[in-house]
Amino acid sequence: MSQTAPLSDAAEEEWDMVIRARSGWFHLHLQDLWQYRDLLRMFVWRDFVAVYKQTILGPIWFFIQPLLTTATFTIIFSGVAKLSTDGLPPLLFYLAGTTPWNYFATCLTKTSTTFKDNASLFGKVYFPRLITPLSVVISTLIQFIIQFALLGVALAWFIWQGRDIRPDYLGIVLGTPVLILMLGGLGLGSGIIISSLTTKYRDLGFLVTFGVQLAMYATPVVYPLSIVPDKYRFLIELNPMTGIVEAFRALYLGAGSFSWPLLTYSALVTAVLLFLGVIVFNKVEKSFMDTV
């Protein structure tokens, strides 16, 4: 009678990844984002295509929306309210304000619903949850670039017309990437903090859209900082978007209250919100399925 060889007590296995709950506040595992970069690219494409997938005009809306917004601001705030534009053509002034603001506002609004929008997906398969809000920031950047091109065309037109516009070309090359990173970081940090809190406090979700609209009027988007009375200027400067929008106008239009201290303050607030947002987001993600 033949005998079978005894089986080994334990078979050694090697795993590419071991999934464990994060036990500490600072166990962020950000290296997982790089390992799942292909999934990030898929989410970016999904977010970009899904917005206008079943529309008649498609991506043309990327141009129509800022043009209609700028035209409305020109009629109401420049034509009716007679607000100053620091001597700049109103259309160019408002376009230079709404372009960075729209990127920030869209990032904040969309990332603030990350857990709610992806609850069914999060409950089925593991992947770094931070990929979903990060994909929103990147896909929205594509929309920003399209609108930014529209600003470039308008700027070139007015310069060709001989208007007194003096862009800082060196500042544009060096400063634009920094300003874009600050816009995306500020929107991402604020959005994921709100998203983490709305897993328990749904009321915050109802306040986001309304709050973003109010925040625009607390930012020099439809008016220059120069017309704000001194007793209220400090309040406007507390808004981290103020330094970014003013710097954007100063670089591209040669106007605006560009201030290194103000821009540094905006950068510090952006870094703090982004850092806190990532920490809170990673802490909440392991238990949010019980509350969403």
Side-chain angles (χ1 to χ4, degrees):
M1 182 180 295
S2 62
Q3 286 184 322
T4 58
L7 296 174
S8 59
D9 294 334
E12 294 185 359
E13 298 185 34
E14 295 183 0
W15 302 95
D16 294 331
M17 177 177 294
V18 178
I19 303 174
R20 298 188 183 93
R22 294 176 172 85
S23 57
W25 284 92
F26 299 100
H27 294 171
L28 305 181
H29 299 286
L30 296 180
Q31 68 275 11
D32 292 352
L33 296 176
W34 176 252
Q35 296 175 359
Y36 282 80
R37 57 189 179 277
D38 291 334
L39 181 62
L40 176 61
R41 283 195 289 267
M42 292 176 60
F43 278 162
V44 169
W45 180 248
R46 179 203 66 174
D47 294 339
F48 180 75
V49 172
V51 177
Y52 301 110
K53 186 175 182 180
Q54 293 181 315
T55 60
I56 297 176
L57 298 179
I60 297 177
W61 281 109
F62 288 133
F63 294 98
I64 295 177
Q65 288 174 334
L67 283 175
L68 290 178
T69 301
T70 302
T72 302
F73 287 168
T74 300
I75 295 172
I76 295 176
F77 296 107
S78 180
V80 178
K82 304 297 182 181
L83 290 180
S84 170
T85 57
D86 279 347
L88 296 168
L91 187 143
L92 191 59
F93 177 87
Y94 296 126
L95 192 59
T98 56
T99 298
W101 174 260
N102 286 341
Y103 179 49
F104 161 75
T106 305
C107 287
L108 190 157
T109 303
K110 289 186 176 181
T111 56
S112 66
T113 58
T114 296
F115 283 121
K116 183 183 70 174
D117 294 344
N118 298 278
S120 59
L121 182 61
F122 287 172
K124 293 179 180 178
V125 63
Y126 169 79
F127 60 89
R129 307 313 191 201
L130 195 58
I131 279 184
T132 49
L134 190 60
S135 69
V136 170
V137 174
I138 297 175
S139 62
T140 306
L141 178 61
I142 300 174
Q143 176 181 342
F144 169 80
I145 292 173
I146 295 175
Q147 296 180 0
F148 180 78
L150 181 62
L151 172 63
V153 171
L155 181 61
W157 168 259
F158 281 105
I159 291 176
W160 183 72
Q161 290 289 317
R163 303 298 293 267
D164 186 20
I165 301 170
R166 297 181 295 274
D168 182 355
Y169 295 105
L170 179 60
I172 289 173
V173 173
L174 299 178
T176 299
V178 177
L179 295 178
I180 292 175
L181 285 175
M182 290 174 64
L183 288 168
L186 188 59
L188 176 62
S190 304
I192 58 179
I193 289 176
I194 296 172
S195 180
S196 301
L197 294 176
T198 51
T199 58
K200 290 186 178 180
Y201 308 105
R202 294 295 184 90
D203 299 35
L204 291 176
F206 298 109
L207 294 176
V208 171
T209 303
F210 178 66
V212 168
Q213 292 175 347
L214 288 180
M216 188 189 73
Y217 296 104
T219 308
V221 173
V222 297
Y223 57 87
L225 187 61
S226 59
I227 70 170
V228 178
D230 292 339
K231 61 180 179 179
Y232 297 122
R233 180 171 296 195
F234 175 73
L235 296 175
I236 301 298
E237 290 178 346
L238 284 177
N239 180 354
M241 276 297 295
T242 296
I244 301 176
V245 172
E246 286 293 297
F248 196 87
R249 280 206 183 104
L251 292 180
Y252 283 89
L253 307 183
S257 304
F258 182 86
S259 169
W260 279 111
L262 192 58
L263 191 61
T264 301
Y265 163 76
S266 299
L268 290 176
V269 172
T270 299
V272 170
L273 288 177
L274 185 58
F275 179 69
L276 291 178
V278 172
I279 290 176
V280 174
F281 187 91
N282 280 279
K283 191 65 176 179
V284 169
E285 72 168 65
K286 68 179 182 181
S287 60
F288 88 97
M289 288 302 295
D290 299 327
T291 55
V292 169

